[in-house]
Amino acid sequence: MSSPLPARPPTPPVSRRSLLRGAAAAGAAGLLTSCASRADAAFDAGAAPWRRYAGTTLNFISENTAPTAAIAANLKPFTELTGIRVNIVTLELSALAQKVALDFASGNGAYDVVYADPYQVLAPYAPAFVDLREFEDDPALPQLPGGFDDFIPTHLDAAGRFQDAEKVLALPYDCPTMVWQYRADLFARHRERMADDLGFDPTPSEDSTWEQYAAIARWFNDKTDEVRYGTGHQAKQHDSLMCDFSNLLWSYGGDYFDNGKQVGRLGTGDPGKCLLRSDEAIAGAEFYQRLLATADPGSRTWDWDGVGAAFRAGRIAMCPNWHEYAASNEAAMPGKVGYARLPKGPARSAGMYGGTGIAISNVVPPRRRKAAWLFLNWATAPKTQLANLASTVGGGTPTRTSVYAMPRVTAAEHRPSKMPNMLSARAVRRTWESADIGLRPKIPMWAECDTTIYTQVSGMLAGDTSPAAAMHAAADRIDRITTRRRVK
């Protein structure tokens, strides 16, 4: 299975100011449609709606994710349906963000369909994407099966919108989410002994707390040689560290900005003052430091792939990680892994959402946009999401409510499963509820803020600074970033 989130230290994208400066030079008020250099799509007005753009070739730029791997391996059904061919370019996210930004600024329109990461692509360059309601409301075009309402609501907002609650700029395409992954065989084998020693039932549940998680980790460290350490984390100085730390920050009642759920769900160009100086944020950082002090020391060298590999190798008993590692877990340790919502802290449980949507560039000519709509429609359709879920080269998880109601899919939540990512479905659906979903700030300047956070937290874990000092330093730097790059 392809990694759901390849290693990707975030690179600050080409600035929105540069993008809009190029747009102004073209006289396009921020949207470069007037200077698009590619030929428009083929068009046959007399053909059926799915066939009107036959003969066109679309370019789709994507991060190298599980759903894109599955779609790339099976594009024949789309081409047979539409007569449209699709070239797929896959890159790591930082490289993708730079190529997309340069394409917008130049007006070349090289990419018709864009994997629009909410933080590095959608928020910085929202004006350069088409409002997809234009196509859904066009009677000459095929409509989405189930409409926009079939997408999981938190996904549609977090991956598909920016600031405006009505506009839809992207369709939810993937949805990696962090959950508690644990050696269910070891928990079952030692349950009674652990309960006697710890004074509580160690089985992961809705009532499990982070303090209990830490106690379970120490128990495995001290009481058994079946694994080397109780827990491992993606604590490399990298985007993965921000993700891992954020789960604790939110669970302790901390956040990055005021009205954090709204800023994460719809986004803003002006998030205000950073909240990392708060008592709650510092308490979350203090606990995270304590937790990592007893974790596998390799944690500080691991991103999500590293901790996933350590877990599959039997080195650690549990870890927080993206739910789409279920497929590779099952391949390595069939029947031995369990999944649960992450533990709760004093405020709540929170699991980081890492989903992204696919969008249509406003730089390309009008008929190309309509041809691209056919691809978005097909690529996110229930039938295609079901095929991706069962793909041997993909394994992406559906973003549509209707797919989870299909009998084949509900049956796959139990072993033996031909769709192993569905083994984590109960935990992840619980995490997607609005009270538990962890949404990083959807702001145009997030890439710089992200770097600040994982740099300061990494220094804290190395013992170079205290949790309070790390949080204050991060907040000071983030305030400078958001003030300098504020977007109205």
mmCIF file of all heavy atoms in Angstrom, residues 53 162 175 261 293 300 336 370 382 385 409:
data_model
loop_
_atom_site.group_PDB
_atom_site.id
_atom_site.type_symbol
_atom_site.label_atom_id
_atom_site.label_comp_id
_atom_site.label_asym_id
_atom_site.label_seq_id
_atom_site.Cartn_x
_atom_site.Cartn_y
_atom_site.Cartn_z
ATOM 1 N N TYR A 53 -16.772 15.974 -24.209
ATOM 2 C CA TYR A 53 -15.391 16.465 -24.239
ATOM 3 C C TYR A 53 -14.415 15.357 -24.640
ATOM 4 O O TYR A 53 -13.223 15.424 -24.344
ATOM 5 C CB TYR A 53 -15.036 17.077 -22.888
ATOM 6 C CG TYR A 53 -16.023 18.161 -22.507
ATOM 7 C CD1 TYR A 53 -17.111 17.874 -21.679
ATOM 8 C CD2 TYR A 53 -15.909 19.433 -23.033
ATOM 9 C CE1 TYR A 53 -18.051 18.853 -21.383
ATOM 10 C CE2 TYR A 53 -16.846 20.416 -22.729
ATOM 11 C CZ TYR A 53 -17.918 20.112 -21.909
ATOM 12 O OH TYR A 53 -18.856 21.091 -21.627
ATOM 13 N N PHE A 162 -13.083 27.473 1.795
ATOM 14 C CA PHE A 162 -12.194 28.424 2.454
ATOM 15 C C PHE A 162 -12.945 29.719 2.704
ATOM 16 O O PHE A 162 -13.353 30.403 1.770
ATOM 17 C CB PHE A 162 -10.932 28.697 1.645
ATOM 18 C CG PHE A 162 -9.985 29.632 2.348
ATOM 19 C CD1 PHE A 162 -9.392 29.253 3.547
ATOM 20 C CD2 PHE A 162 -9.713 30.896 1.855
ATOM 21 C CE1 PHE A 162 -8.545 30.113 4.235
ATOM 22 C CE2 PHE A 162 -8.859 31.762 2.512
ATOM 23 C CZ PHE A 162 -8.272 31.367 3.716
ATOM 24 N N CYS A 175 -8.766 11.116 3.331
ATOM 25 C CA CYS A 175 -9.161 11.518 4.688
ATOM 26 C C CYS A 175 -8.325 10.857 5.781
ATOM 27 O O CYS A 175 -8.875 10.429 6.807
ATOM 28 C CB CYS A 175 -10.635 11.212 4.916
ATOM 29 S SG CYS A 175 -11.093 9.498 4.524
ATOM 30 N N LYS A 261 -11.952 25.689 16.167
ATOM 31 C CA LYS A 261 -12.697 24.736 15.340
ATOM 32 C C LYS A 261 -13.192 25.397 14.063
ATOM 33 O O LYS A 261 -13.169 24.801 12.987
ATOM 34 C CB LYS A 261 -13.861 24.143 16.133
ATOM 35 C CG LYS A 261 -13.409 23.166 17.217
ATOM 36 C CD LYS A 261 -14.574 22.460 17.869
ATOM 37 C CE LYS A 261 -14.080 21.460 18.919
ATOM 38 N NZ LYS A 261 -15.187 20.732 19.563
ATOM 39 N N ALA A 293 9.289 11.112 27.009
ATOM 40 C CA ALA A 293 10.451 10.698 27.798
ATOM 41 C C ALA A 293 10.452 9.201 28.058
ATOM 42 O O ALA A 293 11.511 8.604 28.284
ATOM 43 C CB ALA A 293 10.480 11.463 29.115
ATOM 44 N N ARG A 300 12.071 10.236 18.086
ATOM 45 C CA ARG A 300 12.536 11.551 17.655
ATOM 46 C C ARG A 300 13.218 11.519 16.298
ATOM 47 O O ARG A 300 13.582 12.561 15.754
ATOM 48 C CB ARG A 300 13.466 12.154 18.717
ATOM 49 C CG ARG A 300 12.724 12.489 20.022
ATOM 50 C CD ARG A 300 13.546 13.346 20.958
ATOM 51 N NE ARG A 300 13.959 14.573 20.318
ATOM 52 C CZ ARG A 300 15.220 15.017 20.279
ATOM 53 N NH1 ARG A 300 16.189 14.316 20.858
ATOM 54 N NH2 ARG A 300 15.523 16.155 19.677
ATOM 55 N N LYS A 336 -3.824 -9.035 14.634
ATOM 56 C CA LYS A 336 -3.182 -8.675 15.897
ATOM 57 C C LYS A 336 -3.359 -7.214 16.318
ATOM 58 O O LYS A 336 -2.927 -6.839 17.402
ATOM 59 C CB LYS A 336 -1.686 -8.989 15.838
ATOM 60 C CG LYS A 336 -1.372 -10.474 15.715
ATOM 61 C CD LYS A 336 0.127 -10.713 15.725
ATOM 62 C CE LYS A 336 0.449 -12.200 15.655
ATOM 63 N NZ LYS A 336 1.921 -12.441 15.690
ATOM 64 N N LYS A 370 -14.930 22.205 -17.571
ATOM 65 C CA LYS A 370 -16.078 21.295 -17.584
ATOM 66 C C LYS A 370 -15.621 19.850 -17.779
ATOM 67 O O LYS A 370 -16.185 18.925 -17.163
ATOM 68 C CB LYS A 370 -17.060 21.720 -18.671
ATOM 69 C CG LYS A 370 -17.724 23.057 -18.375
ATOM 70 C CD LYS A 370 -18.714 23.468 -19.454
ATOM 71 C CE LYS A 370 -19.355 24.813 -19.088
ATOM 72 N NZ LYS A 370 -20.338 25.243 -20.123
ATOM 73 N N PRO A 382 -19.281 7.257 -5.521
ATOM 74 C CA PRO A 382 -19.299 6.085 -4.633
ATOM 75 C C PRO A 382 -18.698 4.837 -5.271
ATOM 76 O O PRO A 382 -17.956 4.102 -4.609
ATOM 77 C CB PRO A 382 -20.793 5.904 -4.333
ATOM 78 C CG PRO A 382 -21.360 7.286 -4.440
ATOM 79 C CD PRO A 382 -20.593 7.940 -5.557
ATOM 80 N N GLN A 385 -14.916 5.216 -5.237
ATOM 81 C CA GLN A 385 -14.379 5.116 -3.878
ATOM 82 C C GLN A 385 -14.415 3.677 -3.374
ATOM 83 O O GLN A 385 -13.504 3.243 -2.668
ATOM 84 C CB GLN A 385 -15.136 6.053 -2.948
ATOM 85 C CG GLN A 385 -14.900 7.522 -3.254
ATOM 86 C CD GLN A 385 -15.226 8.439 -2.094
ATOM 87 O OE1 GLN A 385 -15.798 8.030 -1.077
ATOM 88 N NE2 GLN A 385 -14.851 9.700 -2.225
ATOM 89 N N VAL A 409 -19.093 -2.926 2.453
ATOM 90 C CA VAL A 409 -18.186 -2.082 3.224
ATOM 91 C C VAL A 409 -18.386 -2.299 4.718
ATOM 92 O O VAL A 409 -17.420 -2.423 5.479
ATOM 93 C CB VAL A 409 -18.378 -0.603 2.834
ATOM 94 C CG1 VAL A 409 -17.505 0.296 3.699
ATOM 95 C CG2 VAL A 409 -18.040 -0.409 1.353
#
